[in-house]
Amino acid sequence: MRVNLLGPVELVSAGGEPVRLGAAKRRTVLAALALELNRVVSGDRLLSLVWDGSPPPQAKAALQGHIAQLRKVLSDGVALLTRAPGYVLTGDRGAVDVFRFEDLVASSRDAGDETAVAQLAEALALWRGPVLADVPGDRVREAVSARLEELRLVAVQELATRLFRLHRAADAVGELSDAVAAHPLREPLVARLVLALHWTGRQAEALEVFHRTRERLAEELGVDPGPELRDAYQTVLAGDTAPKRVERGPAPAQLPREHRGFVGREPELADLADRLGGDSAIGLLVGPAGVGKTALALRWAHRVAADFPDGQLFVNLRGFDETEPLDPRTALIGFLRALGLSDSQIAVDLEDQAAQYRSLLAGRRVLVFLDNARSAEQVRPLLPGSAGCQVLVTSRHRLDDLVVTEGASALHVQTLPENNAEDLLAAALGRTRIDAEPDAVAELVELCDRLPLALRIAGARLASRPRWTVQSLVDELRDEQHRLSALELPEAGRGVHAALAVSYRELPEGAARLLRRLGLHPGTDLDSYAAAALLDINVVSARTHLRTLAYANLLHESTPDRYSRHDLVRLFTHQLAVGESEVDGATARLLDYYLHVADTARAHLSDHVRPFSPPEHKPASYPQLASHAAALDWFTLEEANLGLALDTALDSGHLERAWQLALCLDAFHFRRGNRVDRLALCRIGSEAARALGDTRAEATFLLRLGSTLADLGRLEEAVDACTRAAELARGDRDLELAALANLGYCLMADDQLDRAQETILEALEVAREVGDTRSQASVQNNLANVLLRKRLPEEALRHATEALSLFTSAAPSKAHTATLHTVGAASQQLGRLDEALEHYREGLALAERLGDRYQEALCHRAIGDVLEQSVGQDAATPHWLTALRLYRDLRVEDADDLAAKLDPRADQPNMPGR
């Protein structure tokens, strides 16, 4: 049984009878599977191919139906099997005309002229029209039609060349005429047609073809005919009566063997096929050391080798070896020899060698693979001039110059997805051993950064030690101090550390110094300001060094001016930092940078900010945070780094910097309503302040600790913390005011309403005494909430309204949002639902503007409660669901009773960590 795709899709029985396929989509399914003969096609990819990227909801069921119908009609060695994660069509390559065509063309390359003519004629006879002519969708056809049509034209050209050698020019005219009619500007075809017509005595037609083509080239492309077409024209004018023998050098086949155990990379291979589908394409694969660039490039090169009948050239340019990079002259001499020149014929100068190289490749279709390139200058002399050649370059450097000046298409090779990383280990160890320890394998994959080089070394170590468990290697790799040494092959001098060391040694001094200093940075990402602080330089110079590191793929620019590094690179920088001078000074500068900017951001988020004293090392460059939104964005972006900087401050004994960083982070988490993280920060800050003997700082953290504990329902602890804060604050009226206000809040939460009212009134008196209008408003709002709990809504509304009036001239704040909520609650208790809804919605808008997710949750819940009363539960449910999601994101207890109000089908998953 045969599958024919070179024309309309056909299924032909062993007896030569066509088999009815039925639906057009079924032909598309067969074509997609046949083009991947003996390779699994995932269900998702098949759906995308058959339905042109937009499968309808019923597509999966329809696909299964088409598969079932195809299975009924397939026989005689062709079978359709289910193989995770999709399907595979199995059979001999000869069962599909596409592969018969490719194999015949490939076989003809090294055959004698008579045999080659027979093979090429047989290959071209397989074509019955355009590829997949009756397939309704575009994706399957577009994936192969350009490549196969190109190979068909190459076969026509090659057939003509071989016929000319055999003095059978007349036999070439028909194929050439048809091909030129379809591709009138393809000069190699036109040149051969001109010669074929001339050598069969049809000089006038030959000249007409030449002049018609020359005019079209000028009109449509604005160019003159190339050398090959001009030479054919001169042959006609000279009246040569015998065809000249077209000399061809040998067809080199220099591709190394593919890497054993290659897995995955199908998206990258598809991307390469798209990028390199046109003429004169240069594919550039860039990525960090050990990411598998060469393996990926080899897989693609072997897949498409048949598309390059004039051969494949390969050279390792050794751009990142221990030795010097390969001189382009050496590479060119090797290529020229492979293309048939003797040493005596090879020019001496580089430019002349490059010219010889381009001349030899003119009119040929050759794949040139340049592995491990160091620079664009090393690559440029090795680029063919022929439109039929394609070039594949791999490098650890980005080689942007090739993209700009040569039109290269760059593919950045990333680390493997988790499932492919596990497959790579399975290739070394066997699936049984992998499946026995899934958790350990998953951790091993992450410890290796999903880097193919590291995974191969880990797999080799385990393969040579069959009694080791995967967990035993995981336990060894968990030790960060020795992880890199565990991922080395000492006897071969290869491994992650060795590869990174070569890249490091090639860096200019400024970038190398920054890479060493990055070992002092506790996070995995940073911006140019933090880099400038580490080096004590201006931010412009820091950006230059960061871009150099990104160019060498030691860092990755994740967002503009922000750079991240893989974990193994982080460990490598830690090793570099061990011998670095000024470790303490660089660490202090980094902490002071984060502290200075965090203090500036805190001023935008907090209602009461007393700035810290200027840091010891005020940074020369830092981001300008001019608004609340900018401050919130900066905190969100740097939250992880600030937490790690706090750990660094504690570990290195910088206790004052530690409590100040903790206070800045607390302001951010207070604004976002994150009580759990606030609790940890307040304890860290109070302990650091206590160790320093700084009672004011300790009191500041205790009063914040108290309100956080109250929000978490730990009321006895909350009252105790605020009471201690108030005792420590005596004598500092501003701090005493804050302590009394928070104590009153905690007492209210504990339902000690009379004592809460007494404490809040005392705080209100202090606020009026010191002239703190904003604190007065906040305290009056707390008083209104006490009165609400006492079921005195009229008094509560009076105090809350008075508090609200105090915010009119002040910047928006969390207290303002809370007061709007209180006015709404008092109005709701009084039955004024429209007024309540108006204030809740105003509070919600302000909370969203401030990024206060807890107040957002409160307002959404309150709006839902009012809508339930006034309209019904259906109107309330969306607001309750939003509140429930926010509560659970913040990991607070408020979610439980709200969940009970909702239909169980609308409930969300349990809170994280509960």
Side-chain angles (χ1 to χ4, degrees):
M1 179 161 275
R2 301 193 310 275
V3 181
N4 294 331
L5 308 176
L6 300 175
V9 176
E10 288 183 345
L11 184 63
V12 182
S13 71
E17 298 296 324
V19 177
R20 179 175 173 77
L21 288 172
K25 293 292 187 190
R26 195 168 304 149
R27 295 196 297 276
T28 310
V29 173
L30 177 61
L33 291 168
L35 287 167
E36 297 288 343
L37 188 70
N38 298 319
R39 289 200 294 260
V40 176
V41 182
S42 72
D44 288 342
R45 183 163 175 246
L46 204 51
L47 288 169
S48 179
L49 288 170
V50 175
W51 277 273
D52 274 347
S54 301
Q58 69 276 16
K60 188 172 182 180
L63 175 61
Q64 291 170 344
H66 292 314
I67 294 290
Q69 291 301 316
L70 285 172
R71 282 176 172 153
K72 292 179 181 179
V73 296
L74 291 171
S75 62
D76 297 322
V78 178
L80 206 173
L81 308 176
T82 300
R83 289 282 187 273
Y87 306 95
V88 57
L89 188 72
T90 64
D92 184 77
R93 279 178 63 86
V96 179
D97 62 353
V98 167
F99 300 121
R100 291 202 306 281
F101 170 72
E102 291 178 343
D103 292 345
L104 284 165
V105 173
S107 298
S108 71
R109 292 180 204 147
D110 299 321
D113 291 337
E114 293 283 2
T115 303
V117 165
Q119 290 174 329
L120 290 167
E122 182 183 352
L124 291 168
L126 294 171
W127 285 73
R128 298 166 292 106
V131 179
L132 307 176
D134 59 348
V135 165
D138 293 330
R139 284 211 171 185
V140 177
R141 186 167 48 252
E142 288 174 355
V144 296
S145 61
R147 178 179 66 82
L148 290 172
E149 177 63 14
E150 175 64 26
L151 187 56
R152 186 181 74 83
L153 296 177
V154 168
V156 172
Q157 292 171 196
E158 181 63 14
L159 176 61
T161 299
R162 298 297 187 111
L163 286 169
F164 291 171
R165 291 182 184 179
L166 297 171
H167 301 278
R168 293 169 54 188
D171 293 341
V173 171
E175 286 281 5
L176 287 169
S177 297
D178 292 343
V180 168
H183 302 274
L185 298 182
R186 189 178 178 97
E187 293 186 53
L189 282 174
V190 178
R192 283 165 175 77
L193 179 57
V194 168
L195 292 173
L197 290 169
H198 167 60
W199 285 327
T200 53
R202 300 160 66 178
Q203 286 82 3
E205 293 176 63
L207 292 172
E208 181 186 351
V209 169
F210 171 79
H211 288 301
R212 184 172 63 241
T213 305
R214 178 176 56 79
E215 290 170 2
R216 291 193 66 169
L217 286 169
E219 291 173 3
E220 297 182 26
L221 302 180
V223 298
D224 293 325
E228 188 175 4
L229 185 51
R230 290 200 306 270
D231 288 347
Y233 175 61
Q234 291 299 323
T235 298
V236 179
L237 294 180
D240 292 342
T241 57
K244 296 178 180 178
R245 183 175 179 84
V246 181
E247 296 292 341
R248 291 168 49 96
Q254 296 185 337
L255 292 179
R257 65 189 296 270
E258 289 192 63
H259 287 198
R260 181 182 176 275
F262 182 92
V263 298
R265 300 297 196 192
E266 288 304 323
E268 290 91 339
L269 290 165
D271 195 5
L272 276 173
D274 289 342
R275 291 167 183 263
L276 302 184
D279 285 346
S280 197
I282 303 172
L284 175 60
L285 278 71
V286 298
V291 81
K293 303 179 292 294
T294 299
L296 170 60
L298 276 174
R299 171 54 62 98
W300 183 83
H302 278 282
R303 277 193 180 183
V304 301
D307 298 347
F308 299 93
D310 295 314
Q312 308 90 41
L313 296 169
F314 172 87
V315 66
N316 181 358
L317 294 173
R318 300 202 303 264
F320 304 94
D321 285 6
E322 297 286 345
T323 57
E324 285 294 311
L326 191 70
D327 190 300
R329 290 178 180 82
T330 305
L332 270 174
I333 290 171
F335 282 175
L336 292 170
R337 286 171 178 162
L339 293 168
L341 292 191
S342 65
D343 288 351
S344 61
Q345 294 174 301
I346 297 175
V348 176
D349 294 334
L350 175 64
E351 288 188 8
D352 291 338
Q353 290 170 353
Q356 283 183 310
Y357 170 67
R358 291 192 295 271
S359 296
L360 284 171
L361 292 183
R364 297 192 185 186
R365 188 159 177 79
V366 174
L367 174 64
V368 181
F369 187 164
L370 308 175
D371 196 26
N372 286 314
R374 171 76 178 279
S375 65
E377 289 71 26
Q378 190 186 24
V379 168
R380 196 168 279 113
L382 305 174
L383 298 178
S386 172
C389 295
Q390 290 185 343
V391 183
L392 204 58
V393 184
T394 70
S395 181
R396 295 184 196 177
H397 289 170
R398 289 204 311 246
L399 303 189
D400 295 337
D401 192 21
L402 285 182
V403 177
V404 174
T405 62
E406 306 294 342
S409 180
L411 171 64
H412 293 265
V413 183
Q414 307 293 332
T415 55
L416 287 169
E418 184 179 353
N419 62 324
N420 291 149
E422 290 186 3
D423 290 341
L424 194 152
L425 286 173
L429 302 177
R431 179 54 64 180
T432 301
R433 199 168 170 188
I434 292 297
D435 291 344
E437 298 179 80
D439 293 339
V441 168
E443 186 173 355
L444 177 59
V445 163
E446 295 308 317
L447 288 170
C448 291
D449 267 352
R450 291 182 279 113
L451 194 71
L453 175 62
L455 289 163
R456 289 182 186 280
I457 292 172
R461 290 193 63 195
L462 288 170
S464 64
R465 296 165 177 83
R467 294 191 179 183
W468 276 31
T469 62
V470 177
Q471 186 63 51
S472 61
L473 182 57
V474 166
D475 293 340
E476 181 180 348
L477 294 179
R478 281 175 178 165
D479 181 357
E480 290 196 348
Q481 290 187 342
H482 301 102
R483 187 182 305 166
L484 285 174
S485 61
L487 293 173
E488 293 290 309
L489 296 174
E491 66 280 2
R494 297 180 59 188
V496 178
H497 185 280
L500 292 172
V502 172
S503 295
Y504 165 65
R505 285 197 296 271
E506 300 300 332
L507 293 172
E509 175 50 35
R513 184 164 168 256
L514 176 56
L515 191 68
R516 295 193 297 272
R517 289 289 172 88
L518 288 180
L520 304 176
H521 191 283
T524 58
D525 70 334
L526 82 167
D527 62 11
S528 55
Y529 295 107
L534 278 170
L535 287 180
D536 197 18
I537 59 175
N538 64 62
V539 73
V540 176
S541 298
R543 283 178 181 144
T544 298
H545 298 328
L546 286 166
R547 287 167 184 159
T548 299
L549 294 176
Y551 181 83
N553 273 293
L554 290 164
L555 296 181
H556 169 66
E557 191 171 11
S558 49
T559 57
D561 199 37
R562 192 161 194 88
Y563 297 83
S564 60
R565 51 188 164 156
H566 290 299
D567 216 33
L568 293 175
V569 175
R570 179 182 64 84
L571 297 180
F572 180 70
T573 62
H574 286 343
Q575 292 185 4
L576 294 177
V578 170
E580 183 70 350
S581 60
E582 275 195 272
V583 168
D584 291 339
T587 300
R589 284 197 305 273
L590 182 68
L591 293 175
D592 283 349
Y593 160 73
Y594 280 125
L595 185 56
H596 177 76
V597 185
D599 191 31
T600 303
R602 177 175 69 109
H604 288 291
L605 303 188
S606 297
D607 296 344
H608 304 279
V609 173
R610 186 179 293 181
F612 302 135
S613 300
E616 181 182 350
H617 308 94
K618 182 178 179 181
S621 304
Y622 48 88
Q624 302 299 314
L625 307 178
S627 66
H628 173 279
L632 199 61
D633 288 344
W634 184 84
F635 264 123
T636 301
L637 193 62
E638 296 288 1
E639 179 184 358
N641 281 335
L642 290 170
L644 292 168
L646 173 57
D647 292 340
T648 299
L650 291 169
D651 293 342
S652 56
H654 296 289
L655 295 182
E656 184 175 19
R657 290 182 172 100
W659 75 253
Q660 290 174 343
L661 280 168
L663 192 63
C664 292
L665 274 167
D666 176 68
F668 169 62
H669 289 306
F670 176 68
R671 174 66 72 215
R672 299 303 298 271
N674 187 337
R675 279 89 169 274
V676 175
D677 287 335
R678 283 199 73 199
L679 189 64
L681 285 166
C682 289
R683 285 179 170 153
I684 290 171
S686 63
E687 289 171 8
R690 189 180 308 115
L692 285 169
D694 189 333
T695 56
R696 189 179 191 286
E698 184 182 359
T700 299
F701 280 104
L702 284 172
L703 66 89
R704 291 167 181 267
L705 177 64
S707 62
T708 305
L709 287 165
D711 287 340
L712 290 170
R714 296 160 63 173
L715 301 175
E716 186 177 342
E717 296 175 72
V719 170
D720 179 62
C722 285
T723 302
R724 285 189 288 132
E727 292 169 356
L728 290 173
R730 295 296 178 189
D732 185 327
R733 295 297 273 170
D734 289 328
L735 189 58
E736 187 178 346
L737 165 59
L740 288 169
N742 277 28
L743 177 59
Y745 175 81
C746 295
L747 290 167
M748 174 181 64
D750 197 27
D751 273 337
Q752 299 184 47
L753 299 182
D754 290 338
R755 187 180 166 196
Q757 187 170 349
E758 179 183 341
T759 305
I760 290 171
L761 287 170
E762 185 181 353
L764 186 58
E765 183 179 339
V766 176
R768 287 169 174 158
E769 175 190 327
V770 300
D772 188 339
T773 303
R774 184 169 290 189
S775 289
Q776 181 183 337
S778 180
V779 171
Q780 274 201 273
N781 177 56
N782 283 349
L783 178 59
N785 276 287
V786 171
L787 294 169
L788 276 176
R789 292 193 178 213
K790 287 187 168 185
R791 310 303 295 177
L792 299 171
E794 289 282 3
E795 286 188 61
L797 183 59
R798 178 171 59 82
H799 281 286
T801 303
E802 185 176 343
L804 198 59
S805 69
L806 296 174
F807 288 111
T808 54
S809 60
S813 66
K814 185 182 182 78
H816 191 172
T817 307
T819 304
L820 284 166
H821 184 278
T822 305
V823 173
S827 301
Q828 188 177 358
Q829 274 198 23
L830 291 167
R832 304 172 186 173
L833 299 186
D834 289 343
E835 293 177 28
L837 197 58
E838 179 184 351
H839 284 97
Y840 286 145
R841 284 178 168 154
E842 188 178 349
L844 175 60
L846 183 55
E848 290 174 339
R849 177 181 165 191
L850 295 174
D852 189 334
R853 293 185 297 164
Y854 182 65
Q855 288 292 336
E856 285 182 51
L858 290 179
C859 290
H860 271 296
R861 177 168 186 170
I863 291 169
D865 290 345
V866 172
L867 290 174
E868 182 190 29
Q869 286 182 262
S870 58
V871 181
Q873 186 168 343
D874 287 347
T877 295
H879 289 281
W880 286 342
L881 284 170
T882 302
L884 184 62
R885 176 180 57 78
L886 289 166
Y887 283 145
R888 285 178 164 163
D889 285 348
L890 296 169
R891 295 176 289 175
V892 296
E893 300 295 330
D894 308 55
D896 293 343
D897 65 324
L898 180 56
K901 294 170 71 74
L902 292 160
D903 187 283
R905 291 171 298 176
D907 196 9
Q908 305 295 308
N910 286 335
M911 285 169 30
R914 294 194 58 200

